Amino acid sequence: MIHNRFILVIVLAIGHLNTCLAQYERRVASRDFYDYYNHANYDEALVPDYTLPDIMQCLDGTVVADVKTWEEKRRPELLRLFTSFMYGKQPLPDSTFSFERMGKDRKVLNGRAMRRDMMLHLTGDGPDVQLSLVWANDHNRLPRKTMMGISFIPNDSIFTFYPNGKRPKGAEAWDIDSLFAHGYALATFCYTEAEADKAKDLFKSSRLHRHFYQKGQHYPLPDEWGAIACWAWTASRAMDALGALAADIVDMQQVGIMGHSRLGKTALWAGATDQRFATVVSVNSGCGGAALSRRCVGETLECVNEWCHHWFCGNFRQYSHREEWLPFDQHELLALIAPRRLVVISGTEDHWADPKGEGISCQEAEAAYRLYDKPQQINYLLREGPHQVMAVDWHFILTP
């Protein structure tokens, strides 16, 4: 009898969740990005008073004074909080995950580089994600430092140069020449091949989510992964593939991960959850990335929980207009990357991403890095310019 009641409660809870998500879908349909952008706060005088959670104090009051306490108690505690209330739980890859090399290495960029393509079969039901690796066709030693780029555009577009020297839209974000000049290889995948970036879809078309659903489940549960966690999980699967299929080219101890905007948020979460990434690079990541949520400048929790709520787990929605109730803030996300190198880049014209909030977040995260005597591993750049990846960004990333 008790067992049957328990099943009834679960069924009713899932039914209630489906109803709530359907209501959310109707609300999102009535607003768009520009509603939020044009009515956001960009005035420092209107920033509310706030108190940041103490990175060095555990939930039970224990003060973190050494690396052992950080690594065995506080870091796992913070990781659980971010997982449960923001990004969502990621499943372990199951036995249907696989990868393969696609054809032979070939010359690209007019013979200046070599390219190796790999295919990630994230589950037995799909999706399939192309991972491409390019490196300079020279006589320098292998394996090489590698930057993994989470891209808005397909790999073929990144490596295309037209006769007039121009590149497809979005490809200019990847400064291949600078990477090669600094001895790096570049590995990329297009994020939407893993998970669609559609708030209104509510994961109805998601093969990745559907594969891991329980019987009768049609939506992620409130603490299960949103799209950012899906994209970060895919970056980890790309690391698996590089280690198995490209260790002759890639120095697996020197692989960084880089993303811009929402993919900067993704790079930070990937770096927090997968310590194999030696360097983590976030450009213009804003709210849900490097910027402090409690400042309520530019992009806010209300925006990400309405316009792009699919990025995060359902539990995160309770903090819209209630930033002060968050059990964490983004300086603690940055701290999870310690002691590895962290690069955060802001633009003076990118008010939406709250450059000041990103800078403060980096300063606060130094507390974790000081435990390792490595505060210099946080590299913050506020440069002139808009919400885009610029040549100066790559110079800063590649010359620590």
Side-chain angles (χ1 to χ4, degrees):
M1 186 65 174
I2 293 176
H3 179 68
N4 290 339
R5 287 179 181 175
F6 178 75
I7 294 175
L8 178 61
V9 168
I10 294 296
V11 170
L12 290 174
I14 292 176
H16 178 67
L17 174 65
N18 291 351
T19 300
C20 290
L21 287 171
Q23 292 171 349
Y24 226 87
E25 186 174 21
R26 289 193 293 273
R27 288 176 63 190
V28 170
S30 65
R31 301 196 67 179
D32 62 20
F33 167 80
Y34 293 101
D35 285 328
Y36 294 104
Y37 184 86
N38 293 329
H39 295 92
N41 171 46
Y42 302 108
D43 186 349
E44 283 293 320
L46 298 179
V47 173
D49 293 333
Y50 63 88
T51 300
L52 291 177
D54 188 347
I55 293 176
M56 294 292 107
Q57 183 170 323
C58 300
L59 294 178
D60 65 2
T62 301
V63 176
V64 179
D66 52 59
V67 170
K68 185 175 187 294
T69 306
W70 170 258
E71 293 186 348
E72 295 183 4
K73 186 168 186 175
R74 182 57 170 160
R75 188 182 189 280
E77 182 177 82
L78 284 171
L79 197 59
R80 286 193 298 270
L81 288 172
F82 277 104
T83 297
S84 298
F85 294 103
M86 188 170 184
Y87 298 100
K89 295 177 182 177
Q90 298 164 304
L92 294 173
D94 63 20
S95 60
T96 67
F97 166 63
S98 64
F99 40 75
E100 60 181 318
R101 188 164 162 177
M102 306 297 290
K104 296 181 179 179
D105 296 345
R106 64 186 190 277
K107 293 181 179 179
V108 293
L109 306 180
N110 294 321
R112 293 190 297 116
M114 299 297 295
R115 174 173 172 176
R116 179 177 299 178
D117 288 327
M118 292 152 274
M119 190 65 72
L120 312 178
H121 305 290
L122 297 184
T123 77
D125 311 314
D128 300 324
V129 177
Q130 184 189 57
L131 174 67
S132 295
L133 175 68
V134 294
W135 65 97
N137 187 19
D138 54 26
H139 300 292
N140 292 335
R141 69 177 182 84
L142 297 171
R144 298 183 182 180
K145 296 177 291 186
T146 300
M147 186 62 69
M148 182 184 294
I150 314 173
S151 175
F152 285 103
I153 61 175
N155 295 336
D156 287 345
S157 296
I158 295 174
F159 309 127
T160 296
F161 284 79
Y162 299 126
N164 62 4
K166 293 184 178 182
R167 303 171 70 184
K169 183 178 180 181
E172 69 280 355
W174 304 102
D175 191 344
I176 296 173
D177 289 335
S178 290
L179 281 157
F180 287 175
H182 287 84
Y184 277 80
L186 173 64
T188 58
F189 68 89
C190 179
Y191 79 125
T192 52
E193 291 181 10
E195 182 62 63
D197 192 3
K198 297 179 181 179
K200 297 177 184 178
D201 182 70
L202 290 171
F203 303 110
K204 295 186 189 106
S205 62
S206 173
R207 288 185 289 171
L208 189 55
H209 273 86
R210 187 166 60 242
H211 179 82
F212 291 102
Y213 282 158
Q214 299 298 312
K215 185 176 181 180
Q217 185 178 355
H218 301 289
Y219 296 105
L221 295 177
D223 66 345
E224 291 182 337
W225 55 348
I228 285 176
C230 291
W231 303 326
W233 186 86
T234 302
S236 291
R237 305 292 71 77
M239 277 289 278
D240 296 339
L242 287 178
L245 302 178
D248 56 325
I249 307 299
V250 176
D251 181 346
M252 295 302 297
Q253 302 304 310
Q254 297 191 73
V255 178
I257 186 165
M258 184 269 197
H260 172 248
S261 193
R262 69 199 63 179
L263 301 184
K265 308 180 205 292
T266 303
L268 290 172
W269 186 234
T273 55
D274 192 335
Q275 294 179 288
R276 291 178 295 177
F277 291 111
T279 300
V280 180
V281 182
S282 159
V283 182
N284 307 139
S285 59
C287 180
L292 294 173
S293 298
R294 281 170 169 79
R295 279 175 46 80
C296 301
V297 172
E299 186 179 28
T300 63
L301 299 194
E302 179 195 7
C303 174
V304 297
N305 282 329
E306 293 280 351
W307 177 70
C308 43
H309 58 86
H310 64 296
W311 289 351
F312 303 98
C313 72
N315 280 338
F316 194 49
R317 296 171 195 166
Q318 66 188 292
Y319 298 108
S320 293
H321 293 296
R322 300 176 71 231
E323 287 84 0
E324 71 276 13
W325 291 98
L326 273 170
F328 48 74
D329 213 320
Q330 297 309 104
H331 63 306
E332 293 173 308
L333 172 67
L334 304 189
L336 291 175
I337 296 165
R340 293 162 291 150
R341 185 177 177 228
L342 169 66
V343 180
V344 175
I345 298 175
S346 306
T348 56
E349 300 172 24
D350 188 17
H351 307 297
W352 179 248
D354 186 18
K356 185 173 181 178
E358 292 186 317
I360 296 172
S361 194
C362 288
Q363 293 171 7
E364 294 291 333
E366 286 184 7
Y369 280 80
R370 284 194 292 270
L371 293 173
Y372 299 89
D373 293 322
K374 292 184 176 181
Q376 73 281 1
Q377 286 285 77
I378 298 183
N379 304 144
Y380 177 68
L381 174 66
L382 174 60
R383 45 84 172 151
E384 295 184 358
H387 187 82
Q388 67 183 57
V389 182
M390 305 177 68
V392 65
D393 300 346
W394 282 109
H395 177 76
F396 187 75
I397 294 165
L398 298 173
T399 54

